[in-house]
């Protein structure tokens, strides 16, 4: 079955540490996205990629980095520069104008 | 800007009907999506409107008025499991497939 997989489901980060969230899709979608969701709030766009080897910053890119070396994969690194990383992170993919398929999310907590 | 506005919270009674509104700027509008999101889970697709009018899908219906920049999601015969957040998301022609999300409406269904 085609889908989009995020891992891990839960992640704990120490102060000053970089962590990488995985997102893999086998839907053959060209575009992939990373969103952040804070409690009681909507989704805010971090980075997106419409084609392999190309990506653009979203509204809240500071403290994050991404890569798109393969069509199937769009990992997100939360760097130590992100001062408030505790949130629910959602990855999505899409083709044309038909909306998103979401992964199940990663809950990141700073300890 | 491309603000998407929807009420923060709503409460309704089991078996009743509830309407969740969403307003957006009309310039460059392409289409509008509604997603349902249970706490701690990924959003799931409910509906997509691109033309004016009402789209019915079982207990859920979605309406769009392009000229007014207005949509609503109508939930009939409410069930307890409908307690969730409902996200309105808009696709604009300038954003090449990227969705802009509202803050979400948290619906609580009471017995």
């Amino acid at each position: 079955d085609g889908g989009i997989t995020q891992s891990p489901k839960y992640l704990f980060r120490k102060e000053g540490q970089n962590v990488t969230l995985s997102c893999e899709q086998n839907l053959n979608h060209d575009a992939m996205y990373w969103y952040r969701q804070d409690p009681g709030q909507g989704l805010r766009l971090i980075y997106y990629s419409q084609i392999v080897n190309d990506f653009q910053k979203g509204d809240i890119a500071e403290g994050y980095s991404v890569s798109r070396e393969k069509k199937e994969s769009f990992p997100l690194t939360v760097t130590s520069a992100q001062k408030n990383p505790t949130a629910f992170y959602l990855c999505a993919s899409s083709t044309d104008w038909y909306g998103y398929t979401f992964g199940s999310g990663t809950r990141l907590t700073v300890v | 800007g491309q603000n998407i506005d929807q009420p923060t919270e709503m409460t309704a009674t089991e078996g009743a009907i509830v309407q969740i509104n969403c307003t957006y700027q009309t310039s460059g509008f392409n289409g509008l999506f509604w997603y349902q999101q249970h706490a701690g889970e990924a959003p799931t697709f409910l509906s997509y409107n691109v033309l004016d009018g009402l789209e019915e899908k079982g207990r859920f219906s979605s309406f769009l008025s392009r000229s007014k920049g207005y949509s609503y999601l109508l939930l009939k015969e409410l069930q307890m499991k409908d307690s969730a957040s409902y996200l309105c998301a808009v696709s604009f022609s300038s954003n090449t497939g990227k969705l802009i999300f509202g803050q979400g409406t948290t619906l609580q269904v009471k017995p």
Side-chain angles (χ1 to χ4, degrees), chain A residues 9 33 35 37 40-43 45 48 50 88 90 94 96-100 102-105 107, chain B residues 30 33 35 37 40-43 45 48 87 91-93 95-104:
Chain A
K9 190 172 179 65
Y33 310 84
Y35 285 87
Q37 187 175 36
Q41 297 191 27
L43 278 64
L45 184 65
Y48 64 104
Q50 294 172 317
F88 187 49
L90 283 162
S94 73
D96 296 328
W97 302 101
Y98 301 116
Y100 291 175
F102 282 95
S104 56
R107 187 165 299 280
Chain B
N30 251 325
F33 297 82
Y35 289 87
Q37 185 181 26
E41 298 181 10
F45 172 82
Y48 174 53
L87 308 178
S91 170
F92 293 95
S93 57
N95 288 354
T96 57
K98 189 175 59 174
L99 293 182
I100 308 298
F101 285 82
Q103 68 186 41

mmCIF file of all heavy atoms in Angstrom, chain A residues 9 33 35 37 40-43 45 48 50 88 90 94 96-100 102-105 107, chain B residues 30 33 35 37 40-43 45 48 87 91-93 95-104:
data_model
loop_
_atom_site.group_PDB
_atom_site.id
_atom_site.type_symbol
_atom_site.label_atom_id
_atom_site.label_comp_id
_atom_site.label_asym_id
_atom_site.label_seq_id
_atom_site.Cartn_x
_atom_site.Cartn_y
_atom_site.Cartn_z
ATOM 1 N N LYS A 9 7.996 8.188 16.211
ATOM 2 C CA LYS A 9 6.727 8.761 16.638
ATOM 3 C C LYS A 9 6.948 9.759 17.788
ATOM 4 O O LYS A 9 6.293 10.789 17.873
ATOM 5 C CB LYS A 9 5.768 7.660 17.087
ATOM 6 C CG LYS A 9 4.344 8.125 17.319
ATOM 7 C CD LYS A 9 3.443 6.929 17.558
ATOM 8 C CE LYS A 9 2.011 7.368 17.828
ATOM 9 N NZ LYS A 9 1.397 8.021 16.655
ATOM 10 N N TYR A 33 6.341 18.406 2.190
ATOM 11 C CA TYR A 33 6.227 19.557 3.084
ATOM 12 C C TYR A 33 6.500 19.142 4.525
ATOM 13 O O TYR A 33 6.187 18.020 4.917
ATOM 14 C CB TYR A 33 4.803 20.135 3.024
ATOM 15 C CG TYR A 33 4.279 20.388 1.637
ATOM 16 C CD1 TYR A 33 3.700 19.355 0.900
ATOM 17 C CD2 TYR A 33 4.353 21.650 1.063
ATOM 18 C CE1 TYR A 33 3.222 19.581 -0.378
ATOM 19 C CE2 TYR A 33 3.867 21.885 -0.218
ATOM 20 C CZ TYR A 33 3.305 20.845 -0.930
ATOM 21 O OH TYR A 33 2.833 21.073 -2.197
ATOM 22 N N TYR A 35 5.473 20.654 8.368
ATOM 23 C CA TYR A 35 4.707 21.604 9.162
ATOM 24 C C TYR A 35 4.993 21.374 10.643
ATOM 25 O O TYR A 35 5.273 20.255 11.068
ATOM 26 C CB TYR A 35 3.204 21.437 8.936
ATOM 27 C CG TYR A 35 2.710 21.988 7.625
ATOM 28 C CD1 TYR A 35 2.744 21.202 6.481
ATOM 29 C CD2 TYR A 35 2.204 23.280 7.540
ATOM 30 C CE1 TYR A 35 2.285 21.706 5.274
ATOM 31 C CE2 TYR A 35 1.742 23.791 6.335
ATOM 32 C CZ TYR A 35 1.786 23.000 5.206
ATOM 33 O OH TYR A 35 1.328 23.505 4.011
ATOM 34 N N GLN A 37 3.132 22.026 14.450
ATOM 35 C CA GLN A 37 1.864 22.343 15.103
ATOM 36 C C GLN A 37 2.091 22.446 16.599
ATOM 37 O O GLN A 37 2.571 21.508 17.243
ATOM 38 C CB GLN A 37 0.804 21.281 14.801
ATOM 39 C CG GLN A 37 -0.579 21.636 15.313
ATOM 40 C CD GLN A 37 -1.612 20.627 14.894
ATOM 41 O OE1 GLN A 37 -1.348 19.435 14.822
ATOM 42 N NE2 GLN A 37 -2.818 21.110 14.587
ATOM 43 N N GLY A 40 -3.222 23.626 20.292
ATOM 44 C CA GLY A 40 -4.327 24.540 20.041
ATOM 45 C C GLY A 40 -4.137 25.446 18.850
ATOM 46 O O GLY A 40 -4.917 26.382 18.653
ATOM 47 N N GLN A 41 -3.125 25.169 18.039
ATOM 48 C CA GLN A 41 -2.856 26.033 16.895
ATOM 49 C C GLN A 41 -2.911 25.257 15.594
ATOM 50 O O GLN A 41 -2.914 24.031 15.576
ATOM 51 C CB GLN A 41 -1.489 26.701 17.054
ATOM 52 C CG GLN A 41 -1.377 27.620 18.268
ATOM 53 C CD GLN A 41 -0.119 28.449 18.246
ATOM 54 O OE1 GLN A 41 0.430 28.752 17.187
ATOM 55 N NE2 GLN A 41 0.357 28.827 19.415
ATOM 56 N N GLY A 42 -2.941 26.015 14.513
ATOM 57 C CA GLY A 42 -2.949 25.398 13.195
ATOM 58 C C GLY A 42 -1.562 24.971 12.767
ATOM 59 O O GLY A 42 -0.601 25.015 13.543
ATOM 60 N N LEU A 43 -1.433 24.583 11.528
ATOM 61 C CA LEU A 43 -0.167 24.110 10.977
ATOM 62 C C LEU A 43 0.610 25.282 10.372
ATOM 63 O O LEU A 43 0.067 26.058 9.596
ATOM 64 C CB LEU A 43 -0.430 23.071 9.878
ATOM 65 C CG LEU A 43 -0.701 21.641 10.331
ATOM 66 C CD1 LEU A 43 -1.977 21.539 11.134
ATOM 67 C CD2 LEU A 43 -0.774 20.729 9.121
ATOM 68 N N LEU A 45 4.068 26.263 8.156
ATOM 69 C CA LEU A 45 4.972 25.654 7.191
ATOM 70 C C LEU A 45 6.428 25.962 7.516
ATOM 71 O O LEU A 45 6.804 27.124 7.676
ATOM 72 C CB LEU A 45 4.633 26.153 5.788
ATOM 73 C CG LEU A 45 5.428 25.550 4.643
ATOM 74 C CD1 LEU A 45 5.138 24.052 4.503
ATOM 75 C CD2 LEU A 45 5.086 26.274 3.338
ATOM 76 N N TYR A 48 9.426 23.345 2.284
ATOM 77 C CA TYR A 48 8.767 22.514 1.304
ATOM 78 C C TYR A 48 9.673 22.303 0.105
ATOM 79 O O TYR A 48 10.594 23.096 -0.145
ATOM 80 C CB TYR A 48 7.409 23.073 0.883
ATOM 81 C CG TYR A 48 7.451 24.405 0.170
ATOM 82 C CD1 TYR A 48 7.277 24.482 -1.205
ATOM 83 C CD2 TYR A 48 7.601 25.584 0.884
ATOM 84 C CE1 TYR A 48 7.282 25.707 -1.858
ATOM 85 C CE2 TYR A 48 7.617 26.814 0.244
ATOM 86 C CZ TYR A 48 7.452 26.869 -1.123
ATOM 87 O OH TYR A 48 7.461 28.079 -1.766
ATOM 88 N N GLN A 50 9.400 20.958 -4.054
ATOM 89 C CA GLN A 50 8.525 20.594 -5.168
ATOM 90 C C GLN A 50 9.212 19.656 -6.153
ATOM 91 O O GLN A 50 8.548 19.113 -7.056
ATOM 92 C CB GLN A 50 8.042 21.858 -5.860
ATOM 93 C CG GLN A 50 7.138 22.697 -4.967
ATOM 94 C CD GLN A 50 6.809 24.045 -5.553
ATOM 95 O OE1 GLN A 50 7.681 24.716 -6.088
ATOM 96 N NE2 GLN A 50 5.562 24.455 -5.448
ATOM 97 N N PHE A 88 4.560 19.242 17.671
ATOM 98 C CA PHE A 88 4.152 18.100 16.860
ATOM 99 C C PHE A 88 4.516 18.422 15.416
ATOM 100 O O PHE A 88 4.108 19.461 14.895
ATOM 101 C CB PHE A 88 2.647 17.898 17.030
ATOM 102 C CG PHE A 88 2.088 16.666 16.398
ATOM 103 C CD1 PHE A 88 2.670 15.424 16.605
ATOM 104 C CD2 PHE A 88 0.948 16.730 15.612
ATOM 105 C CE1 PHE A 88 2.138 14.274 16.049
ATOM 106 C CE2 PHE A 88 0.407 15.586 15.043
ATOM 107 C CZ PHE A 88 1.000 14.358 15.259
ATOM 108 N N LEU A 90 4.574 17.467 11.402
ATOM 109 C CA LEU A 90 3.843 16.717 10.386
ATOM 110 C C LEU A 90 4.521 16.868 9.031
ATOM 111 O O LEU A 90 4.858 17.973 8.616
ATOM 112 C CB LEU A 90 2.412 17.215 10.283
ATOM 113 C CG LEU A 90 1.471 16.756 11.388
ATOM 114 C CD1 LEU A 90 0.249 17.635 11.447
ATOM 115 C CD2 LEU A 90 1.073 15.308 11.194
ATOM 116 N N SER A 94 2.248 15.721 -1.831
ATOM 117 C CA SER A 94 1.108 16.017 -2.703
ATOM 118 C C SER A 94 1.524 15.950 -4.166
ATOM 119 O O SER A 94 2.712 16.005 -4.502
ATOM 120 C CB SER A 94 0.529 17.395 -2.397
ATOM 121 O OG SER A 94 1.382 18.418 -2.867
ATOM 122 N N ASP A 96 0.041 17.767 -7.839
ATOM 123 C CA ASP A 96 -0.867 18.748 -8.439
ATOM 124 C C ASP A 96 -1.673 19.464 -7.359
ATOM 125 O O ASP A 96 -1.126 19.911 -6.377
ATOM 126 C CB ASP A 96 -1.785 18.059 -9.464
ATOM 127 C CG ASP A 96 -0.987 17.490 -10.620
ATOM 128 O OD1 ASP A 96 0.049 18.074 -10.961
ATOM 129 O OD2 ASP A 96 -1.386 16.455 -11.152
ATOM 130 N N TRP A 97 -2.985 19.562 -7.565
ATOM 131 C CA TRP A 97 -3.818 20.388 -6.700
ATOM 132 C C TRP A 97 -4.726 19.552 -5.823
ATOM 133 O O TRP A 97 -5.761 20.009 -5.377
ATOM 134 C CB TRP A 97 -4.664 21.330 -7.545
ATOM 135 C CG TRP A 97 -3.825 22.200 -8.417
ATOM 136 C CD1 TRP A 97 -3.572 22.032 -9.735
ATOM 137 C CD2 TRP A 97 -3.100 23.363 -8.019
ATOM 138 N NE1 TRP A 97 -2.745 23.019 -10.187
ATOM 139 C CE2 TRP A 97 -2.443 23.847 -9.165
ATOM 140 C CE3 TRP A 97 -2.951 24.050 -6.813
ATOM 141 C CZ2 TRP A 97 -1.644 24.995 -9.135
ATOM 142 C CZ3 TRP A 97 -2.163 25.191 -6.790
ATOM 143 C CH2 TRP A 97 -1.515 25.645 -7.945
ATOM 144 N N TYR A 98 -4.399 18.314 -5.579
ATOM 145 C CA TYR A 98 -5.331 17.420 -4.913
ATOM 146 C C TYR A 98 -5.103 17.270 -3.426
ATOM 147 O O TYR A 98 -5.491 16.281 -2.824
ATOM 148 C CB TYR A 98 -5.319 16.069 -5.606
ATOM 149 C CG TYR A 98 -5.689 16.182 -7.056
ATOM 150 C CD1 TYR A 98 -4.788 15.861 -8.057
ATOM 151 C CD2 TYR A 98 -6.928 16.675 -7.428
ATOM 152 C CE1 TYR A 98 -5.124 16.003 -9.392
ATOM 153 C CE2 TYR A 98 -7.270 16.832 -8.751
ATOM 154 C CZ TYR A 98 -6.366 16.491 -9.727
ATOM 155 O OH TYR A 98 -6.700 16.643 -11.041
ATOM 156 N N GLY A 99 -4.480 18.262 -2.836
ATOM 157 C CA GLY A 99 -4.344 18.235 -1.396
ATOM 158 C C GLY A 99 -3.241 17.313 -0.932
ATOM 159 O O GLY A 99 -2.502 16.737 -1.721
ATOM 160 N N TYR A 100 -3.140 17.197 0.372
ATOM 161 C CA TYR A 100 -2.030 16.505 0.987
ATOM 162 C C TYR A 100 -2.391 15.103 1.461
ATOM 163 O O TYR A 100 -3.524 14.842 1.862
ATOM 164 C CB TYR A 100 -1.578 17.263 2.233
ATOM 165 C CG TYR A 100 -0.922 18.603 2.022
ATOM 166 C CD1 TYR A 100 -0.582 19.378 3.132
ATOM 167 C CD2 TYR A 100 -0.622 19.101 0.772
ATOM 168 C CE1 TYR A 100 0.031 20.607 2.991
ATOM 169 C CE2 TYR A 100 -0.007 20.333 0.619
ATOM 170 C CZ TYR A 100 0.319 21.077 1.734
ATOM 171 O OH TYR A 100 0.936 22.293 1.597
ATOM 172 N N PHE A 102 -0.891 13.097 4.638
ATOM 173 C CA PHE A 102 -0.063 13.380 5.811
ATOM 174 C C PHE A 102 0.549 12.101 6.370
ATOM 175 O O PHE A 102 -0.048 11.019 6.304
ATOM 176 C CB PHE A 102 -0.910 14.007 6.921
ATOM 177 C CG PHE A 102 -1.205 15.461 6.722
ATOM 178 C CD1 PHE A 102 -2.389 15.856 6.129
ATOM 179 C CD2 PHE A 102 -0.304 16.432 7.125
ATOM 180 C CE1 PHE A 102 -2.667 17.199 5.937
ATOM 181 C CE2 PHE A 102 -0.574 17.778 6.945
ATOM 182 C CZ PHE A 102 -1.760 18.156 6.336
ATOM 183 N N GLY A 103 1.734 12.251 6.958
ATOM 184 C CA GLY A 103 2.292 11.202 7.793
ATOM 185 C C GLY A 103 1.622 11.240 9.155
ATOM 186 O O GLY A 103 0.786 12.108 9.435
ATOM 187 N N SER A 104 2.001 10.298 10.022
ATOM 188 C CA SER A 104 1.345 10.185 11.327
ATOM 189 C C SER A 104 1.926 11.133 12.368
ATOM 190 O O SER A 104 1.397 11.235 13.467
ATOM 191 C CB SER A 104 1.431 8.749 11.826
ATOM 192 O OG SER A 104 2.789 8.341 11.859
ATOM 193 N N GLY A 105 3.006 11.828 12.022
ATOM 194 C CA GLY A 105 3.546 12.854 12.905
ATOM 195 C C GLY A 105 4.636 12.364 13.836
ATOM 196 O O GLY A 105 4.737 11.174 14.154
ATOM 197 N N ARG A 107 6.270 13.612 17.584
ATOM 198 C CA ARG A 107 6.170 14.546 18.717
ATOM 199 C C ARG A 107 7.553 14.719 19.316
ATOM 200 O O ARG A 107 8.136 13.770 19.840
ATOM 201 C CB ARG A 107 5.192 14.024 19.751
ATOM 202 C CG ARG A 107 4.914 15.047 20.862
ATOM 203 C CD ARG A 107 3.676 14.677 21.670
ATOM 204 N NE ARG A 107 2.481 14.632 20.877
ATOM 205 C CZ ARG A 107 1.766 15.682 20.502
ATOM 206 N NH1 ARG A 107 2.156 16.897 20.848
ATOM 207 N NH2 ARG A 107 0.651 15.519 19.806
ATOM 208 N N ASN B 30 -7.543 29.122 -5.472
ATOM 209 C CA ASN B 30 -7.613 27.935 -6.323
ATOM 210 C C ASN B 30 -8.627 26.931 -5.795
ATOM 211 O O ASN B 30 -9.455 26.439 -6.554
ATOM 212 C CB ASN B 30 -6.256 27.243 -6.401
ATOM 213 C CG ASN B 30 -5.626 27.419 -7.756
ATOM 214 O OD1 ASN B 30 -6.309 27.452 -8.778
ATOM 215 N ND2 ASN B 30 -4.321 27.524 -7.764
ATOM 216 N N PHE B 33 -9.818 23.114 1.145
ATOM 217 C CA PHE B 33 -9.867 21.778 1.737
ATOM 218 C C PHE B 33 -10.335 21.864 3.183
ATOM 219 O O PHE B 33 -10.049 22.831 3.882
ATOM 220 C CB PHE B 33 -8.470 21.145 1.743
ATOM 221 C CG PHE B 33 -7.880 20.924 0.388
ATOM 222 C CD1 PHE B 33 -7.255 21.950 -0.299
ATOM 223 C CD2 PHE B 33 -7.935 19.669 -0.201
ATOM 224 C CE1 PHE B 33 -6.691 21.742 -1.546
ATOM 225 C CE2 PHE B 33 -7.372 19.452 -1.451
ATOM 226 C CZ PHE B 33 -6.762 20.487 -2.116
ATOM 227 N N TYR B 35 -10.026 19.392 6.651
ATOM 228 C CA TYR B 35 -9.420 18.217 7.257
ATOM 229 C C TYR B 35 -9.959 18.063 8.678
ATOM 230 O O TYR B 35 -10.267 19.039 9.353
ATOM 231 C CB TYR B 35 -7.899 18.358 7.338
ATOM 232 C CG TYR B 35 -7.178 18.280 6.019
ATOM 233 C CD1 TYR B 35 -6.991 19.415 5.235
ATOM 234 C CD2 TYR B 35 -6.677 17.063 5.553
ATOM 235 C CE1 TYR B 35 -6.322 19.342 4.022
ATOM 236 C CE2 TYR B 35 -6.006 16.986 4.346
ATOM 237 C CZ TYR B 35 -5.834 18.129 3.585
ATOM 238 O OH TYR B 35 -5.170 18.043 2.384
ATOM 239 N N GLN B 37 -8.886 16.503 12.425
ATOM 240 C CA GLN B 37 -7.714 16.072 13.170
ATOM 241 C C GLN B 37 -8.091 15.755 14.614
ATOM 242 O O GLN B 37 -8.502 16.642 15.364
ATOM 243 C CB GLN B 37 -6.626 17.155 13.149
ATOM 244 C CG GLN B 37 -5.324 16.700 13.814
ATOM 245 C CD GLN B 37 -4.248 17.780 13.823
ATOM 246 O OE1 GLN B 37 -4.541 18.970 13.784
ATOM 247 N NE2 GLN B 37 -2.986 17.364 13.864
ATOM 248 N N GLY B 40 -3.472 14.604 18.792
ATOM 249 C CA GLY B 40 -2.271 13.791 18.697
ATOM 250 C C GLY B 40 -2.133 12.980 17.428
ATOM 251 O O GLY B 40 -1.202 12.178 17.303
ATOM 252 N N GLU B 41 -3.050 13.180 16.496
ATOM 253 C CA GLU B 41 -3.013 12.408 15.259
ATOM 254 C C GLU B 41 -2.830 13.324 14.057
ATOM 255 O O GLU B 41 -2.923 14.545 14.162
ATOM 256 C CB GLU B 41 -4.291 11.588 15.112
ATOM 257 C CG GLU B 41 -4.486 10.583 16.223
ATOM 258 C CD GLU B 41 -5.752 9.762 16.040
ATOM 259 O OE1 GLU B 41 -6.372 9.846 14.962
ATOM 260 O OE2 GLU B 41 -6.113 9.041 16.972
ATOM 261 N N ALA B 42 -2.577 12.721 12.913
ATOM 262 C CA ALA B 42 -2.439 13.489 11.686
ATOM 263 C C ALA B 42 -3.804 13.901 11.159
ATOM 264 O O ALA B 42 -4.805 13.221 11.398
ATOM 265 C CB ALA B 42 -1.700 12.654 10.642
ATOM 266 N N PRO B 43 -3.875 15.011 10.436
ATOM 267 C CA PRO B 43 -5.143 15.403 9.794
ATOM 268 C C PRO B 43 -5.553 14.389 8.742
ATOM 269 O O PRO B 43 -4.699 13.809 8.050
ATOM 270 C CB PRO B 43 -4.800 16.748 9.150
ATOM 271 C CG PRO B 43 -3.586 17.243 9.850
ATOM 272 C CD PRO B 43 -2.828 16.020 10.236
ATOM 273 N N PHE B 45 -8.280 13.856 5.385
ATOM 274 C CA PHE B 45 -9.018 14.614 4.372
ATOM 275 C C PHE B 45 -10.520 14.409 4.536
ATOM 276 O O PHE B 45 -11.004 13.293 4.697
ATOM 277 C CB PHE B 45 -8.577 14.143 2.985
ATOM 278 C CG PHE B 45 -9.388 14.695 1.858
ATOM 279 C CD1 PHE B 45 -9.130 15.949 1.347
ATOM 280 C CD2 PHE B 45 -10.401 13.938 1.294
ATOM 281 C CE1 PHE B 45 -9.874 16.451 0.289
ATOM 282 C CE2 PHE B 45 -11.152 14.421 0.239
ATOM 283 C CZ PHE B 45 -10.891 15.687 -0.266
ATOM 284 N N TYR B 48 -12.985 18.691 -0.583
ATOM 285 C CA TYR B 48 -12.275 19.633 -1.435
ATOM 286 C C TYR B 48 -13.305 20.364 -2.282
ATOM 287 O O TYR B 48 -14.112 19.721 -2.967
ATOM 288 C CB TYR B 48 -11.280 18.902 -2.332
ATOM 289 C CG TYR B 48 -10.589 19.751 -3.366
ATOM 290 C CD1 TYR B 48 -9.921 20.909 -3.002
ATOM 291 C CD2 TYR B 48 -10.576 19.380 -4.709
ATOM 292 C CE1 TYR B 48 -9.267 21.682 -3.942
ATOM 293 C CE2 TYR B 48 -9.918 20.147 -5.649
ATOM 294 C CZ TYR B 48 -9.266 21.295 -5.266
ATOM 295 O OH TYR B 48 -8.612 22.066 -6.202
ATOM 296 N N LEU B 87 -9.775 21.625 10.314
ATOM 297 C CA LEU B 87 -8.840 22.569 9.705
ATOM 298 C C LEU B 87 -9.315 22.963 8.317
ATOM 299 O O LEU B 87 -9.596 22.094 7.481
ATOM 300 C CB LEU B 87 -7.444 21.943 9.584
ATOM 301 C CG LEU B 87 -6.844 21.333 10.846
ATOM 302 C CD1 LEU B 87 -5.478 20.725 10.539
ATOM 303 C CD2 LEU B 87 -6.721 22.358 11.942
ATOM 304 N N SER B 91 -5.685 26.639 -1.124
ATOM 305 C CA SER B 91 -4.640 26.620 -2.144
ATOM 306 C C SER B 91 -4.764 27.893 -2.978
ATOM 307 O O SER B 91 -5.837 28.188 -3.491
ATOM 308 C CB SER B 91 -4.809 25.385 -3.028
ATOM 309 O OG SER B 91 -3.979 25.454 -4.152
ATOM 310 N N PHE B 92 -3.664 28.622 -3.088
ATOM 311 C CA PHE B 92 -3.648 29.834 -3.888
ATOM 312 C C PHE B 92 -2.779 29.608 -5.124
ATOM 313 O O PHE B 92 -1.785 28.896 -5.068
ATOM 314 C CB PHE B 92 -3.090 31.015 -3.091
ATOM 315 C CG PHE B 92 -3.962 31.455 -1.959
ATOM 316 C CD1 PHE B 92 -3.739 30.982 -0.667
ATOM 317 C CD2 PHE B 92 -5.011 32.326 -2.160
ATOM 318 C CE1 PHE B 92 -4.541 31.381 0.394
ATOM 319 C CE2 PHE B 92 -5.827 32.733 -1.110
ATOM 320 C CZ PHE B 92 -5.595 32.250 0.167
ATOM 321 N N SER B 93 -3.115 30.247 -6.220
ATOM 322 C CA SER B 93 -2.385 30.031 -7.467
ATOM 323 C C SER B 93 -0.936 30.472 -7.350
ATOM 324 O O SER B 93 -0.061 29.931 -8.017
ATOM 325 C CB SER B 93 -3.065 30.767 -8.622
ATOM 326 O OG SER B 93 -3.166 32.147 -8.334
ATOM 327 N N ASN B 95 0.976 29.956 -4.898
ATOM 328 C CA ASN B 95 1.708 29.088 -3.983
ATOM 329 C C ASN B 95 2.016 27.714 -4.556
ATOM 330 O O ASN B 95 2.484 26.845 -3.848
ATOM 331 C CB ASN B 95 0.925 28.917 -2.681
ATOM 332 C CG ASN B 95 0.951 30.165 -1.839
ATOM 333 O OD1 ASN B 95 1.638 31.126 -2.150
ATOM 334 N ND2 ASN B 95 0.198 30.149 -0.764
ATOM 335 N N THR B 96 1.701 27.517 -5.823
ATOM 336 C CA THR B 96 2.043 26.279 -6.543
ATOM 337 C C THR B 96 1.825 25.016 -5.724
ATOM 338 O O THR B 96 2.753 24.230 -5.508
ATOM 339 C CB THR B 96 3.510 26.332 -7.010
ATOM 340 O OG1 THR B 96 4.357 26.544 -5.873
ATOM 341 C CG2 THR B 96 3.697 27.432 -8.013
ATOM 342 N N GLY B 97 0.614 24.824 -5.261
ATOM 343 C CA GLY B 97 0.266 23.579 -4.588
ATOM 344 C C GLY B 97 0.370 23.619 -3.088
ATOM 345 O O GLY B 97 -0.160 22.753 -2.396
ATOM 346 N N LYS B 98 1.063 24.592 -2.537
ATOM 347 C CA LYS B 98 1.219 24.704 -1.096
ATOM 348 C C LYS B 98 -0.104 25.124 -0.476
ATOM 349 O O LYS B 98 -0.813 25.956 -1.010
ATOM 350 C CB LYS B 98 2.298 25.757 -0.823
ATOM 351 C CG LYS B 98 2.761 25.882 0.591
ATOM 352 C CD LYS B 98 3.924 26.876 0.668
ATOM 353 C CE LYS B 98 3.538 28.241 0.172
ATOM 354 N NZ LYS B 98 4.594 29.246 0.379
ATOM 355 N N LEU B 99 -0.451 24.555 0.683
ATOM 356 C CA LEU B 99 -1.686 24.899 1.371
ATOM 357 C C LEU B 99 -1.410 25.850 2.526
ATOM 358 O O LEU B 99 -0.419 25.693 3.248
ATOM 359 C CB LEU B 99 -2.371 23.642 1.915
ATOM 360 C CG LEU B 99 -2.922 22.657 0.896
ATOM 361 C CD1 LEU B 99 -3.597 21.496 1.613
ATOM 362 C CD2 LEU B 99 -3.890 23.330 -0.059
ATOM 363 N N ILE B 100 -2.306 26.808 2.698
ATOM 364 C CA ILE B 100 -2.271 27.705 3.849
ATOM 365 C C ILE B 100 -3.399 27.271 4.780
ATOM 366 O O ILE B 100 -4.555 27.176 4.350
ATOM 367 C CB ILE B 100 -2.466 29.174 3.436
ATOM 368 C CG1 ILE B 100 -1.481 29.564 2.326
ATOM 369 C CG2 ILE B 100 -2.314 30.079 4.654
ATOM 370 C CD1 ILE B 100 -0.034 29.476 2.715
ATOM 371 N N PHE B 101 -3.059 26.997 6.027
ATOM 372 C CA PHE B 101 -4.019 26.479 6.988
ATOM 373 C C PHE B 101 -4.534 27.560 7.917
ATOM 374 O O PHE B 101 -3.787 28.448 8.337
ATOM 375 C CB PHE B 101 -3.376 25.373 7.841
ATOM 376 C CG PHE B 101 -3.204 24.074 7.125
ATOM 377 C CD1 PHE B 101 -2.117 23.871 6.294
ATOM 378 C CD2 PHE B 101 -4.142 23.061 7.265
ATOM 379 C CE1 PHE B 101 -1.956 22.665 5.616
ATOM 380 C CE2 PHE B 101 -3.992 21.865 6.598
ATOM 381 C CZ PHE B 101 -2.900 21.670 5.768
ATOM 382 N N GLY B 102 -5.818 27.466 8.255
ATOM 383 C CA GLY B 102 -6.351 28.237 9.345
ATOM 384 C C GLY B 102 -5.893 27.641 10.667
ATOM 385 O O GLY B 102 -5.246 26.585 10.707
ATOM 386 N N GLN B 103 -6.247 28.290 11.758
ATOM 387 C CA GLN B 103 -5.794 27.839 13.079
ATOM 388 C C GLN B 103 -6.521 26.588 13.551
ATOM 389 O O GLN B 103 -6.093 25.940 14.505
ATOM 390 C CB GLN B 103 -5.999 28.947 14.101
ATOM 391 C CG GLN B 103 -7.463 29.254 14.381
ATOM 392 C CD GLN B 103 -7.637 30.448 15.288
ATOM 393 O OE1 GLN B 103 -6.949 31.441 15.165
ATOM 394 N NE2 GLN B 103 -8.571 30.352 16.218
ATOM 395 N N GLY B 104 -7.620 26.256 12.863
ATOM 396 C CA GLY B 104 -8.377 25.089 13.271
ATOM 397 C C GLY B 104 -9.494 25.441 14.241
ATOM 398 O O GLY B 104 -9.364 26.367 15.052
#
